[in-house]
Structure formats: structure tokens, C-alpha cells
Amino acid sequence: MSLCACCCSCGPKMPALQLLFLACLVWGLGARTAQLRKANDRSGRCQYTFTVASPTESSCPGEDQAMSAIQDLQRDSSVQHAELVSAKARLSSLESLLHQLSLGQATGTKEAQEGLQGQLGALRRERDQLETQTRDLEVAYNNLLQDKSALEEEKRQLEQENEDLARRLEGSSQEVARLRRSQCPSTQHSPQDMLPGSREESDLVHFFANYYVSLSLDTVSQWNLDTLAFQELKSELTEVPASQILKGSPSGQPRSKEGDKGCGELVWVGEPVTLRTAETITGKYGVWMRDPKPTRPYTQETTWRIDTVGTGIRQVFEYSLISQFEQGYPSKVYVLPQALESTGAVVYAGSLYFQGAESRTVFRYELNTELVKAEKEIPGAGYHGQFPYAWGGYTDIDLAVDESGLWVIYSTEEAKGAIVLSRLNPENLELERTWETNIRKQSVANAFVICGTLYTVSSYSSAQATVNFAYDTGTEVSKALSIPFQNRYKYSSMIDYNPLERKLFAWDNFNMVTYDIKLSEM
């Protein structure tokens, strides 16, 4: 065991207690023997000396060995420092990579989220479009179902009306036969012996014509005029012709010579010719017309059309050529400043004449300037369903044109529902003259004027109807007629006369048709 002695001078900087503490520390580190000695050195300074035995070293190293150990320690320290620096560098690199990785993940996540949000937004928009289309289809489907139900109900009512009419007409025919047997005036000749055009035939025809007019009007007054089925019955009752009782000229043929020019009495109506069919439900009924007295820039071919189904009706379609009208390509659309109702509008001398909605006022609308030039309230005229034709449609006021000018067909409370006919001044719409007939307006399907004579049609829905009454404004006398008139599509809502073309224009259940006519010579 080597003993290593450490000496330090005794002075104020190294008190004895500190040395003692150092000695104890060394003892605690493994030394088991220690010696402490106190003596003055040569210069007289106090010196403490203690000796401690090294627990591991057999002898004290020399100075060279100590330096070597110090250098080894320094090298170890340098290596450890280098390793520490390298570790710090690697750690910094790892931290940088980790930071970059974190940024990359965040960026990628954000881009992915934006992409997903974009796709989600597109899907939502597509879903909204599909939902909108679905709702639109559902609305359209519901509308179609409603239209179908309405048409089926109308069909059912018409079938029921036809059955009722068939039964009533059968009873009426039997009643007519009974009355003919019991009330025919006695004559010296049988109907077979009467010569066509003889006085006996004339008297008998006159008797039955007056009788059937009286029978029709008396029957009308006894029934409820609001019942649509009976309106049809009233019309059909007037179809019993006196010409079928006697052997005269063939049915449907005029008794007098037919004239192609000038005025005369209506003696024949041809079969309908269809020019155009409406495309939508709004065209079930309406009015179409041409100007019998055209003014520039309009011609004889210019055609106007108004669909009158619905409310707030203001649109008027104009077709410059007949071919455009037949193909459904309007050249212009007018928007009226005042809504109209009824199918009674006409065009005359460059102006459209129509009844204002829910009023008894008639308007003159100049087509070229698109301005209202005149308006006139028809005194006492029924309107908005008070005195319509048998089919309804607010046809209380019906305008008409013939060779002499402009007319208005209507009824009043004072006339008790009978047709009133007035001639109008086409410029200011003043009433020039008025006639009151004995024909009930709600008992006929429609009316028109030819050569100053008012004609009525018996039924709007019967395929084989007739022109059943005529009222001559010149003689102020009405008479019964039985001129065949075909309702090919079984819902005629408008019938007007065009004196320039010498034709009847009609609107029959979506279809715009014309009828050729023949007039007898005056």
C-alpha cells in the first residue's frame, strides 16, 4: 500500500477545520489510514501534513504518468464532446425532419380536406337539383292528375246528360206526335196531297213554326235556367222542324235560289274544316278572328287568337300569314292594358273589340298603335255569369260583325234573360239602335249576325246540332229554323261570322275550325 502525503500551508485561507474535513472526505472515499502532522516549515509558517493510503494504487504515479492521465482524460473529454456535438447535430436534424414532416402532413391534410369539401359541395348541389326536378315533376304530375280527373268528371257529366237528353227527347217526340194528332188544323187535303209552295202547306208550316217557338219559350220559363242539362234540353227541343212534317223540298236544301253575292237568308252550313289545334289546356276554349275590313299594315290573311281559359287574360297572338297560324308561329304578341273575359271578341277595321273582365264595359283597342281608343258601358247588360250562353264561360256579352258593321249580343234584367241585340258605332261604341228578341240567351249555345239577322245555335256539345232560330232586325220577327250544324269536337265555345270570307269561324274543344255557308237571294 502506498502512502501519499499531501501538504498545505497553514494560513488564513486554509483553516484547520477545512483540512480536517478534507481528510475525512478522503477517508470516506476509501482510505483507511491517515496521519495528520502539524509543524513549522523553514520559514516559520505553520504547516499541516496528513498522509492517506491509496486504496487502489500501489505507488504514487510520477509527473509523467499524471500528465498522461490528464491527457487521456482530455482526449476522452474531447471524444465525448465530439459525440455530444454529433448527437446534438443529429437531434437538430431529426427535429428539422420532424418539423418538415409535420408541415407536410398538415398541408396534405388541408388539401385533402379542401378536395373532399369540394366534392361534397358538388354532391350537395346535384342533390338539390335532383330534389328541385323531383318537386317540379311531382307538381306537373299532380296537375296532370287534376286535369285528368276534371276531364273524366266532365266526360261522366256529358254521358249522364246525353242519357237524360235521350230519355227526355224520346218523351218529347211522343208528346209532339200526340199534339200533332190532336191539334193539327183540319184541312181538305192530306199532307201528301199538298203541293210544295201551296197556301195549305204555307199555313200549316206557319202554324207549327209558331207553335214550336211558343212551346220552347213556355217550357223554358217553367224550368231552372241554372241547370246545364236542361239548357241542353231546351236547345234540343227547338230542333223539331216543320219541314219534316210535310213533304216539301229535301231536308237541308234551300227553298229559294242561292246567291253567291250580296245578302240573303242563311240556308246551309257546311262541314267544319279544322285549321289549328291548341297545344295546352288553356286552349280548350277561346276566340280567333280575321278582320273583314282590314287596314294597313294588316291584310285579309292576318289572324288573331286569344286563349280564354283562366283569369287575367291579356295576351293576343297575331299571325301575319295563314300558314303561320296553322303552324302555330305568331309574328307578334300583344299585352292588353285591360284584362278581358268571354269568347266574344272581334277585330274590325284595324281595332280589337272586347269585353273587360268582370264588367259590362266594351273596349276598342287599336292594334297598330296599341292604345285604347274608346270604351263604353252597355246599359243594363248582364256580365260575369248573369246571362251567358248555355255552355257558360262568362259569355254574357258577345260582339259580332256582319256586312253592315259592329254588333253586340247580350241580355238584361229588364229583358228577363231574352237576347238583346244592339248595333254599335265602331268609332266611339255608342249604341245606334237596339232590338229585344223573344229568344232566351241561356237556352242557346251561341249566336252570330249575318246581313242584319241574328242566328242562334241549338247545342254546343251535340254532334248534330242545328241553327235553330233567326231574328230579322228589319222585320223585327223571329222564326224557328232547322239548319244542320256539326259540333265535330263536341264543345263549341265561339261561333262568329266573317262577311269578307263568307264563312263561320268557330272554336270547338281546342280546335279552330271554319264552316262554309250559303245564303238565299233576297
Side-chain angles (χ1 to χ4, degrees):
M1 179 181 299
S2 170
L3 296 177
C4 181
C6 295
C7 299
C8 58
S9 60
C10 180
K13 293 184 180 180
M14 181 62 70
L17 291 176
Q18 290 180 351
L19 293 176
L20 182 61
F21 174 75
L22 181 60
C24 292
L25 180 61
V26 173
W27 178 270
L29 289 174
R32 293 292 181 264
T33 59
Q35 295 178 359
L36 180 61
R37 188 178 57 178
K38 177 181 176 182
N40 291 328
D41 61 3
R42 293 180 180 177
S43 61
R45 297 180 62 186
C46 179
Q47 187 177 38
Y48 291 89
T49 303
F50 61 90
T51 304
V52 179
S54 173
T56 59
E57 296 175 322
S58 57
S59 62
C60 290
E63 182 177 357
D64 294 336
Q65 292 178 343
M67 290 300 295
S68 177
I70 291 172
Q71 289 176 355
D72 291 338
L73 290 174
Q74 288 178 345
R75 281 194 301 271
D76 293 339
S77 176
S78 298
V79 171
Q80 292 177 355
H81 180 71
E83 292 177 352
L84 180 61
V85 171
S86 176
K88 289 176 64 178
R90 289 196 301 271
L91 183 60
S92 298
S93 177
L94 289 174
E95 290 177 350
S96 176
L97 290 174
L98 180 61
H99 180 67
Q100 292 177 1
L101 181 61
S102 300
L103 289 177
Q105 289 178 347
T107 303
T109 302
K110 183 177 181 181
E111 292 176 353
Q113 288 178 350
E114 290 178 351
L116 290 174
Q117 288 178 352
Q119 293 177 1
L120 182 60
L123 290 174
R124 286 175 176 171
R125 288 191 296 271
E126 185 177 356
R127 181 198 63 188
D128 294 340
Q129 292 176 356
L130 291 174
E131 289 179 350
T132 302
Q133 293 175 359
T134 301
R135 287 194 296 270
D136 293 341
L137 289 174
E138 289 176 351
V139 171
Y141 179 70
N142 290 333
N143 291 337
L144 288 174
L145 289 179
Q146 292 175 1
D147 293 342
K148 178 184 176 184
S149 300
L151 291 173
E152 289 177 346
E153 178 63 21
E154 183 178 346
K155 177 183 176 182
R156 187 191 63 77
Q157 291 178 357
L158 290 174
E159 290 175 349
Q160 183 64 36
E161 290 171 9
N162 288 337
E163 293 176 0
D164 294 341
L165 285 173
R167 290 193 298 269
R168 291 174 182 176
L169 286 175
E170 183 179 358
S172 299
S173 300
Q174 296 174 358
E175 179 68 14
V176 168
R178 185 186 65 79
L179 290 172
R180 183 169 55 184
R181 289 192 301 269
S182 62
Q183 297 186 16
C184 279
S186 61
T187 62
Q188 296 178 352
H189 304 280
S190 66
Q192 290 80 0
D193 297 331
M194 293 182 186
L195 297 176
S198 66
R199 181 175 180 180
E200 290 88 350
E201 181 191 31
S202 175
D203 291 342
L204 191 57
V205 170
H206 181 71
F207 169 81
F208 276 108
N210 290 336
Y211 173 74
Y212 291 131
V213 171
S214 175
L215 177 62
S216 176
L217 295 178
D218 291 343
T219 306
V220 167
S221 63
Q222 297 174 4
W223 291 79
N224 182 6
L225 297 178
D226 295 331
T227 304
L228 181 61
F230 184 64
Q231 290 175 0
E232 290 294 323
L233 174 62
K234 290 179 296 186
S235 299
E236 299 296 340
L237 281 175
T238 62
E239 294 183 14
V240 180
S243 60
Q244 292 180 1
I245 302 174
L246 303 175
K247 278 192 174 180
S249 59
S251 175
Q253 298 295 323
R255 293 179 180 271
S256 58
K257 184 179 179 181
E258 298 170 1
D260 293 331
K261 298 181 180 179
C263 274
E265 293 183 358
L266 179 67
V267 294
W268 175 82
V269 178
E271 294 185 357
V273 177
T274 304
L275 301 182
R276 177 72 185 153
T277 301
E279 304 85 359
T280 64
I281 189 65
T282 59
K284 180 174 177 60
Y285 48 86
V287 55
W288 71 281
M289 52 231 149
R290 296 190 188 118
D291 193 341
K293 191 178 178 181
T295 60
R296 291 180 179 271
Y298 311 110
T299 68
Q300 183 178 345
E301 283 195 66
T302 308
T303 307
W304 291 269
R305 164 186 166 179
I306 306 172
D307 296 340
T308 58
V309 174
T311 57
I313 300 164
R314 295 174 182 268
Q315 288 187 333
V316 181
F317 299 93
E318 179 183 285
Y319 306 85
S320 298
L321 302 173
I322 295 177
S323 59
Q324 293 178 345
F325 171 67
E326 292 175 346
Q327 295 170 6
Y329 300 131
S331 55
K332 185 173 182 179
V333 179
Y334 299 87
V335 178
L336 300 176
Q338 167 69 39
L340 63 81
E341 69 182 17
S342 172
T343 58
V346 296
V347 173
Y348 181 70
S351 293
L352 172 69
Y353 298 85
F354 65 92
Q355 174 198 352
E358 299 187 30
S359 75
R360 56 173 59 95
T361 302
V362 173
F363 292 84
R364 175 195 167 205
Y365 177 79
E366 193 172 61
L367 292 164
N368 192 27
T369 61
E370 301 184 31
L371 296 174
V372 173
K373 291 295 186 178
E375 56 183 275
K376 175 69 176 178
E377 187 174 277
I378 307 300
Y383 65 94
H384 203 62
Q386 288 181 285
F387 300 109
Y389 289 126
W391 75 273
Y394 300 137
T395 50
D396 303 75
I397 296 177
D398 186 14
L399 293 153
V401 175
D402 76 343
E403 290 78 1
S404 62
L406 182 65
W407 301 81
V408 59
I409 305 166
Y410 59 102
S411 187
T412 64
E413 292 284 354
E414 185 178 355
K416 298 180 181 179
I419 290 179
V420 178
L421 179 65
S422 296
R423 188 167 58 226
L424 297 178
N425 183 310
E427 292 295 324
N428 55 25
L429 300 178
E430 292 294 329
L431 275 65
E432 296 179 342
R433 188 174 175 185
T434 298
W435 294 262
E436 184 177 321
T437 74
N438 59 353
I439 305 168
R440 295 188 66 85
K441 191 168 186 292
Q442 290 180 291
S443 70
V444 297
N446 224 302
F448 51 90
V449 180
I450 300 177
C451 296
T453 297
L454 174 75
Y455 295 91
T456 63
V457 178
S458 63
S459 173
Y460 66 92
S461 60
S462 174
Q464 302 298 326
T466 61
V467 177
N468 59 344
F469 282 114
Y471 179 87
D472 189 340
T473 58
T475 62
E476 300 186 8
V477 173
S478 64
K479 64 179 179 179
L481 300 175
S482 184
I483 301 172
F485 184 93
Q486 294 186 28
N487 292 311
R488 175 171 292 172
Y489 304 101
K490 299 183 180 181
Y491 204 98
S492 292
S493 56
M494 160 253 170
I495 304 173
D496 280 337
Y497 172 62
N498 186 299
L500 180 61
E501 300 186 39
R502 192 63 64 88
K503 292 178 184 290
L504 294 179
F505 289 10
W507 193 301
D508 187 1
N509 203 11
F510 296 95
N511 296 278
M512 286 141 268
V513 301
T514 62
Y515 298 81
D516 289 329
I517 64 168
K518 291 180 181 179
L519 304 178
S520 66
E521 280 189 350
M522 295 296 289

